[in-house]
Amino acid sequence: MSVKPKPLGPIPQGYETVNGELAIAGKTASALVEEAGGTPLFVYSRDRLTGRMAMLRDAMPERLGINYAVKANPFEPVLQHMAPLVDGFDIASGGELEILRAAGFDLSRVSFAGPGKRDAELEAAIAAGVTLNLESENEARRALAIADMLGTTPRLAIRVNPDFDMKGSGMKMGGGAKQFGVDAQRVPALGRELIAAGAGWRGLHIYTGSQALSAEAIIETQANVLTLADRIAVDIGEALPKLNMGGGFGIPYFHGDEELDVSAIGAALSDRFAELPESLENAHLCIELGRYLVGLAGVYLTRIVDRKDSHGETFLITDGGLHHQLAASGNFGTVIRRNYPVAIANRFSAPVDDMASVVGCLCTPLDRLADRAELPRAEVGDLVAVFCAGAYGATASPSAFLGQGPARETLA
Ligand SMILES: *Cc1c(COP(=O)(O)O)cnc(C)c1O
């Protein structure tokens, strides 16, 4: 071979093989595809969702609330499965609010962050008793006016743009000039204004970044968050009723990535919680996680439609692609394209004896699910599995592109 293979990301542990095939919830990939009516198909595993939450609860102090960030995966059966496992839901649009309403959820357990909330979204959220994480002074005043008009007390928290970010996070969402949150030094004045206006004061939301794999960086960030929250509360002159400490727990997508050490994070948090300042002693403390809770629970299955050679390289062309798995193609917030974990699902235990690039069916060279991957030799009709597909897959990809349409989804 003249070209060198590129490593694949680590396949999440615990996948079974049945009759030589990848199996999820005891069913082979081909059986799942047949049941669902075809490919492309996202399969999410109940057991993985449940197991992940149990492991995380075990690692974290009991006092810590754990919320689910709906944008990671809003598939209704997934939300229904998560509802009894988490303490609340975090949403980032009025559309997500309507998804939760339609699912019959208790909307008082919901908080709503995100810039650019329109009046109609503020109104729907306030009327439903959702906590608003306010992103600006302007938004705060609009929320107060809308609540006034509705004759209700709005539940209002301020999202803080802290003066620090999270080291090593894949996507930074705090520190410096940002469209998120209110700059930390202006938060006390706004907090006092909300309290004086008679709002239902719900404290602070401090979110600094996503996809961090370093426990040390998260521990440091959480310590900074607690210090900043205390400083702001003291300046406001009232203890905080609630502090959403953010999240950012990452998952291993790429070669060399390792699972985050959540027990180290939990131990450090327990220490912090044992010596909280007065301003935080009685606060409801929580984190909000998306991909960490659901990312590893999903597999994207797509069928090989063609196998071809070009200049000595092999291409496996599938009926899926970046229109369902934008992140795996390397076009969703990554600088350098690297391979996600990928396997030939119906040859899961076969020896690796081939090198091929797995591509999608779109007319763009960006549509690549695996680049020069070492895989068992695969043929037309075989199923490709892309792992780590439980978060930012179906709804974070341009499924209307080229008239392809959405993938199937199932919770197994
Ligand atoms: C996107 C987002 C999350 C979830 O991020 P993950 O990386 O999936 O955990 C949580 N909170 C806020 C405010 C977000 O914007």
Side-chain angles (χ1 to χ4, degrees):
M1 275 178 210
S2 53
V3 282
K4 280 198 9 196
K6 295 183 183 170
L8 291 169
I11 293 178
Q13 284 179 357
Y15 278 105
E16 317 150 55
T17 308
V18 173
N19 301 331
E21 284 202 39
L22 168 70
I24 300 162
K27 292 180 184 165
T28 62
S30 1
L32 287 161
V33 165
E34 194 172 319
E35 243 173 59
T39 49
L41 170 69
F42 284 93
V43 183
Y44 313 116
S45 150
R46 284 176 210 280
D47 287 353
R48 282 184 172 266
L49 294 172
T50 308
R52 189 74 165 172
M53 269 312 290
M55 181 273 285
L56 185 64
R57 289 276 188 203
D58 203 45
M60 292 297 140
E62 221 180 294
R63 167 166 184 182
L64 184 73
I66 300 175
N67 295 348
Y68 175 54
V70 170
K71 83 171 190 269
N73 188 334
F75 184 50
E76 192 188 318
V78 168
L79 297 175
Q80 296 286 5
H81 188 82
M82 295 304 284
L85 304 178
V86 297
D87 298 297
F89 287 97
D90 293 303
I91 58 171
S93 76
E96 289 184 343
L97 174 61
E98 293 317 313
I99 289 172
L100 295 187
R101 197 198 302 278
F105 289 171
D106 172 7
L107 299 178
S108 69
R109 286 205 302 161
V110 174
S111 61
F112 182 179
K117 299 182 194 77
R118 282 146 283 190
D119 284 351
E121 293 175 297
L122 293 173
E123 184 176 335
I126 291 168
V130 167
T131 295
L132 291 169
N133 292 323
L134 299 166
E135 302 271 353
S136 73
E137 285 93 347
N138 171 301
E139 191 173 279
R141 284 160 204 153
R142 288 194 292 127
L144 287 173
I146 288 167
D148 226 28
M149 180 194 76
L150 293 173
T152 57
T153 305
R155 295 178 161 180
L156 302 179
I158 302 172
R159 179 168 180 180
V160 181
N161 175 25
D163 291 322
F164 51 85
D165 61 20
M166 181 145 62
K167 289 195 192 101
S169 60
M171 219 179 269
K172 296 190 194 311
M173 294 174 77
K178 286 282 181 299
Q179 75 263 52
F180 307 109
V182 175
D183 290 354
Q185 68 275 14
R186 299 208 306 269
V187 170
L190 182 59
R192 283 192 293 267
E193 184 182 326
L194 296 176
I195 292 167
W201 174 232
R202 302 304 296 140
L204 304 174
H205 174 218
I206 307 180
Y207 190 82
T208 51
S210 263
Q211 181 50 21
L213 287 174
S214 155
E216 218 172 289
I218 291 176
I219 290 167
E220 185 189 318
T221 300
Q222 290 180 334
N224 289 338
V225 163
L226 289 168
T227 304
L228 175 61
D230 173 51
R231 216 172 64 213
I232 292 172
V234 167
D235 196 337
I236 290 175
E238 262 190 37
L240 281 185
K242 182 176 167 184
L243 173 63
N244 180 332
M245 303 176 60
F249 294 20
I251 58 172
Y253 288 106
F254 305 119
H255 177 70
D257 284 357
E258 280 178 33
E259 266 284 348
L260 181 63
D261 183 357
V262 284
S263 50
I265 297 171
L269 261 189
S270 294
D271 290 348
R272 291 268 156 193
F273 286 3
E275 45 183 49
L276 284 173
E278 221 181 302
S279 68
L280 294 172
E281 257 175 0
N282 297 311
H284 170 67
L285 299 164
C286 67
I287 55 172
E288 52 178 4
L289 303 175
R291 77 185 75 224
Y292 188 83
L293 303 185
V294 297
L296 298 179
V299 177
Y300 176 64
L301 295 172
T302 175
R303 199 178 289 283
I304 297 172
V305 174
D306 202 355
R307 178 189 166 103
K308 63 189 269 189
D309 292 317
S310 172
H311 289 275
E313 291 192 50
T314 300
F315 291 85
L316 302 171
I317 298 167
T318 68
D319 64 0
L322 72 74
H323 52 298
H324 303 142
Q325 259 303 308
L326 188 64
S329 78
N331 295 292
F332 191 62
T334 39
V335 181
I336 302 167
R337 194 201 169 285
R338 288 178 291 169
N339 287 326
Y340 266 42
V342 166
I344 306 300
N346 57 315
R347 301 177 193 268
F348 200 47
S349 53
V352 168
D353 55 4
D354 199 9
M355 181 177 83
S357 290
V358 181
V359 301
C361 54
L362 302 187
C363 245
T364 159
L366 300 177
D367 193 9
R368 226 163 241 255
L369 295 175
D371 211 15
R372 295 178 184 165
E374 291 181 293
L375 296 166
R377 188 187 159 94
E379 303 295 344
V380 169
D382 283 350
L383 294 170
V384 170
V386 180
F387 297 89
C388 300
Y392 306 108
T395 61
S397 305
S399 68
F401 191 32
L402 279 154
Q404 290 289 343
R408 294 174 167 84
E409 293 178 277
T410 187
L411 178 64

